[in-house]
């Protein structure tokens, strides 16, 4: 395995640990959604993620027919809900949305790395970054089909 892939797995594992730790934290703690900065922050990160993905030759081909506004909106709603925000994602569940795409581990890792880039752009702190990546990692089994 390349150092890069190993590092990504490490990052995802760290994210998962952070997520399970935060799940046991006091109920009075702020949600990930609040700590990230709410809807405007999610919109900014998803907008930047789109820019990073569009320049990422490993996966940009996957999105060549995708309309950024509609997709970005769905992703914001999905992440908002997943981060404990006051949103109701009404799109397809992750298994249905990605079924038949035959997405690979490497493509999943690429998207996780691009997400980290987007989070870095807005100087999202390490703890919140781990939780976002942990959220993605928890869905990997539904997204990767081979
Ligand atoms: C945990 C990781 C991921 C999450 C949370 C996620 C989230 C989503 C969401 C919310 C949608 C919209 C579904 C709908 O509109 O009903 C979607 C669609 C899609 N996803 Fe993912 N996704 C993930 C991983 C990936 C990866 C790794 C790829 C490819 C590299 C990918 C490619 C796509 C494509 C091509 C679509 C269809 C977009 C369109 O409507 O044109 N996704 N995803």
């Amino acid at each position: 395995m390349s150092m890069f892939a190993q590092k990504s797995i490490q990052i995802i594992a760290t994210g998962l640990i952070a997520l399970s730790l935060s799940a046991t934290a006091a109920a009075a703690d702020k949600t990930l959604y609040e700590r990230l900065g709410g809807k405007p922050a999610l919109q900014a990160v998803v907008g930047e993620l789109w820019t990073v993905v569009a320049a990422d030759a490993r996966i940009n081909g996957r999105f060549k027919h995708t309309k950024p506004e509609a997709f970005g909106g769905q992703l914001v709603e999905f992440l908002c809900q997943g981060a404990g925000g006051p949103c109701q994602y009404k799109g397809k569940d992750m298994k249905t949305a990605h079924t038949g795409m035959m997405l690979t581990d490497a493509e999943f890792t690429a998207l996780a790395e691009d997400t980290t880039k987007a989070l870095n752009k807005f100087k999202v702190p390490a703890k919140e970054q781990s939780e976002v990546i942990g959220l993605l990692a928890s869905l990997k089994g539904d997204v990767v089909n081979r």
Side-chain angles (χ1 to χ4, degrees), residues 50 53 58-67 70-79 89-94 96-98 101 103-112 115 132-133 135-144:
W50 182 257
V53 166
R58 296 174 297 177
I59 54 172
N60 57 11
R62 291 288 192 175
F63 298 94
K64 59 176 182 258
H65 301 302
T66 298
K67 293 188 177 68
F71 176 64
Q74 287 289 65
L75 194 54
V76 167
E77 289 303 299
F78 183 85
L79 293 175
Y89 170 70
K90 297 192 183 72
K92 295 173 184 155
D93 66 84
M94 290 304 97
T96 309
H98 301 91
M101 288 187 195
L103 292 174
T104 64
D105 235 72
E107 288 175 300
F108 188 91
T109 300
L111 187 72
T115 302
V132 172
I133 296 299
L135 178 62
L136 300 187
S138 73
L139 297 162
K140 183 174 171 180
D142 285 345
V143 168
V144 172

Side-chain angles (χ1 to χ4, degrees), residues 19-94:
L19 195 68
S20 64
L21 286 177
S22 72
T24 56
D29 281 0
K30 285 192 173 176
T31 62
L32 174 58
Y33 171 81
E34 289 171 301
R35 284 178 281 126
L36 286 170
K39 203 73 165 276
L42 280 182
Q43 282 163 339
V45 169
V46 168
E48 176 64 15
L49 175 60
W50 182 257
T51 303
V52 176
V53 166
D56 186 345
R58 296 174 297 177
I59 54 172
N60 57 11
R62 291 288 192 175
F63 298 94
K64 59 176 182 258
H65 301 302
T66 298
K67 293 188 177 68
E69 308 77 33
F71 176 64
Q74 287 289 65
L75 194 54
V76 167
E77 289 303 299
F78 183 85
L79 293 175
C80 169
Q81 183 173 307
C87 306
Q88 263 200 311
Y89 170 70
K90 297 192 183 72
K92 295 173 184 155
D93 66 84
M94 290 304 97

